[in-house]
Amino acid sequence: MSFAAQAWAARPERSNTFFLRIIVWVALHLGRTAARVLLHPISCYFLLFSTASRRASGAWLEQVLGRHPTWVDRYRHYFTFAATILDRVFLLNDRFELFQLELHGTDAMREVHAGRTGCFLLGAHFGSFEVTRAVGRMQPGLEVSLLMYEANAARIGAIIRTINPALGTKVIGLGAVDSMLRVRACLDAGEFVGMLADRRLGDEESTPVTFLGKRANLPAGPFRLACLLRRPVVLMFGIYRGGNRYEVHYERIAVDGDAARLAARYAERLEHHARSAPYNWFNFHDFWE
Amino acid sequence: MSTATALTDHETQLAALIIEALNLEMTPQEIDPGAPLYREGLGLDSIDILEIALVISKTYGVQLKADDADNVRIFGSLRSLNEHLQQHRSK
């Protein structure tokens, strides 16, 4: 099982694939320390040349820090992003021993898993997904499927296979008439279904929430789906804290059938963690309207 | 919209069920029985399809499954969905 696919899919791709391949190669052949040195020129390159994401990064930092971001802030944001990408390579290879993990909420996860009811895992373009796989390691037999567009899945699958050919990624493709029937079938089998709930794709239906004091539009689908199927919902955040330290949070939130309320709770917890780790925000597009 | 062909009684019942489940602002007669339900046509998304599957299982006792290779055809139109239900209904 892996959240990897989703995380790779989350990225503003295009030319990044080139750098991704460089990072992967260096990481696999020279190790983490050497690869981290390379992250500096790569971060500089993106900071200088990726106009659209630099603007989005700046807007985010200004909003969350409450002041105009300096170049040091901006650089730190890019470097944090690059560092978590690099670490994915190791996490995908199950090199968990390289990292210091601080896990929160694992009891809630165990409880949900033991209930065999299936569960929705909601993540965001925030921090690291691979590190949240730690939960799969503690619970043998836990199956996780990711809900995502299959076009992304194919491209991402190719990259993941170069890192760890043994890693199977189960994907439920969006965009088919029976996509959601498949989601239900997975849940009925006691599996977990993971989705990113913070970014709308195209003209997808939206649900408004308040985020950092401003109105933002979340995709309505994930919340509608969770309410309709009435399964436990667990939020997961893998936060990079510098060096080799990560903090993983699993938080079960109440589902009462009201999708707007569920979205508001999600937004509230995301805001809480995003404030505590602002440089882990990897939503490199304008989050607000 | 294409000129709607007249609905049979069963089709009307099914259309009314779908309209109620999804809170659509239309009448059964406004649904073209030959038009696709998903996306173009009635404009439903896959979560709407799931909602329909849930009410159908309650009302008709028919389980619409994920692994049915015929799903695209079954959900192809109100007419084809109704035919499928009439063949398999237990209620």
Side-chain angles (χ1 to χ4, degrees):
Chain A
M1 77 122 213
S2 160
F3 295 116
Q6 198 158 3
W8 290 111
R11 304 309 159 202
E13 244 71 39
R14 291 170 297 122
S15 63
N16 299 17
T17 314
F18 172 70
F19 287 99
L20 204 55
R21 289 192 184 280
I22 294 183
I23 294 180
V24 169
W25 191 90
V26 174
L28 293 178
H29 292 85
L30 305 175
R32 188 168 182 263
T33 312
R36 272 176 79 88
V37 173
L38 259 190
L39 294 184
H40 290 287
I42 291 175
S43 302
C44 284
Y45 174 89
F46 277 101
L47 188 56
L48 292 175
F49 296 111
S50 63
T51 330
S53 47
R54 189 175 67 228
R55 205 177 299 127
S57 159
W60 162 257
L61 292 173
E62 179 143 11
Q63 185 71 26
V64 72
L65 301 175
R67 59 174 165 80
H68 195 67
T70 63
W71 280 96
V72 175
D73 296 325
R74 290 170 183 275
Y75 184 77
R76 187 172 166 196
H77 196 193
Y78 273 66
F79 185 82
T80 306
F81 179 49
T84 59
I85 292 185
L86 171 66
D87 286 344
R88 285 200 175 104
V89 177
F90 301 103
L91 292 162
L92 281 169
N93 266 328
D94 285 334
R95 298 284 307 278
F96 281 84
E97 82 282 359
L98 289 173
F99 302 97
Q100 249 179 288
L101 302 184
E102 194 183 304
L103 303 177
H104 299 266
T106 49
D107 288 350
M109 279 297 254
R110 258 188 221 105
E111 207 179 283
V112 171
H113 182 41
R116 303 301 297 165
T117 52
C119 166
F120 284 107
L121 296 174
L122 298 188
H125 295 79
F126 174 72
S128 167
F129 269 103
E130 274 64 37
V131 82
T132 63
R133 289 175 59 231
V135 74
R137 291 164 48 82
M138 0 176 272
Q139 300 187 35
L142 175 62
E143 291 277 344
V144 178
S145 296
L146 300 170
L147 193 52
M148 65 188 294
Y149 279 96
E150 277 174 290
N152 287 341
R155 191 188 52 226
I156 292 144
I159 298 173
I160 289 174
R161 275 189 296 279
T162 66
I163 299 171
N164 183 354
L167 207 60
T169 303
K170 261 184 87 177
V171 171
I172 303 172
L174 281 166
V177 63
D178 56 0
S179 295
M180 299 303 150
L181 296 178
R182 274 190 270 160
V183 169
R184 184 180 55 168
C186 288
L187 293 167
D188 285 347
E191 294 180 18
F192 285 23
V193 175
M195 25 186 199
L196 288 175
D198 64 333
R199 189 186 289 179
R200 283 193 309 144
L201 298 161
D203 56 356
E204 203 185 338
E205 196 193 339
S206 69
T207 182
V209 293
T210 306
F211 193 80
L212 291 182
K214 278 162 75 175
R215 182 191 149 116
N217 283 320
L218 295 182
F223 306 104
R224 242 180 95 200
L225 184 61
C227 289
L228 190 61
L229 291 174
R230 300 211 171 241
R231 302 303 168 107
V233 171
V234 174
L235 309 184
M236 52 178 194
F237 304 104
I239 301 172
Y240 180 54
R241 292 294 189 186
N244 68 342
R245 295 182 312 279
Y246 280 88
E247 209 178 278
V248 183
H249 295 263
Y250 306 106
E251 301 181 2
R252 183 166 178 181
I253 55 171
V255 186
D256 59 11
D258 185 331
R261 203 145 50 209
L262 184 61
R265 282 195 195 108
Y266 168 86
E268 199 182 292
R269 295 313 298 161
L270 180 59
E271 177 178 320
H272 167 84
H273 290 294
R275 278 186 191 280
S276 106
Y279 299 96
N280 275 251
W281 184 261
F282 303 144
N283 227 318
F284 286 110
H285 78 301
D286 189 9
F287 188 69
W288 295 276
E289 290 167 293
Chain B
M1 225 185 204
S2 60
T3 46
T5 333
L7 269 58
T8 66
D9 287 351
H10 281 143
E11 284 168 0
T12 308
Q13 277 166 23
L14 177 60
L17 188 74
I18 291 173
I19 287 167
E20 199 203 328
L22 300 176
N23 288 319
L24 302 178
E25 290 183 7
M26 61 193 321
T27 64
Q29 284 68 35
E30 285 173 277
I31 296 182
D32 177 349
L37 298 171
Y38 180 62
R39 291 197 173 151
E40 67 283 350
L42 204 51
L44 305 183
D45 63 24
S46 61
I47 304 181
D48 295 324
I49 297 292
L50 172 65
E51 286 206 65
I52 294 177
L54 294 173
V55 292
I56 280 175
S57 100
K58 268 189 218 149
T59 313
Y60 295 85
V62 177
Q63 302 303 326
L64 294 157
K65 296 225 174 76
D67 48 11
D68 194 324
D70 273 347
N71 277 337
V72 171
R73 186 188 58 76
I74 293 170
F75 289 104
S77 67
L78 182 71
R79 183 148 288 163
S80 58
L81 180 60
N82 181 60
E83 278 165 15
H84 178 80
L85 297 179
Q86 298 310 326
Q87 277 165 29
H88 297 92
R89 69 187 298 172
S90 64
K91 286 186 191 170

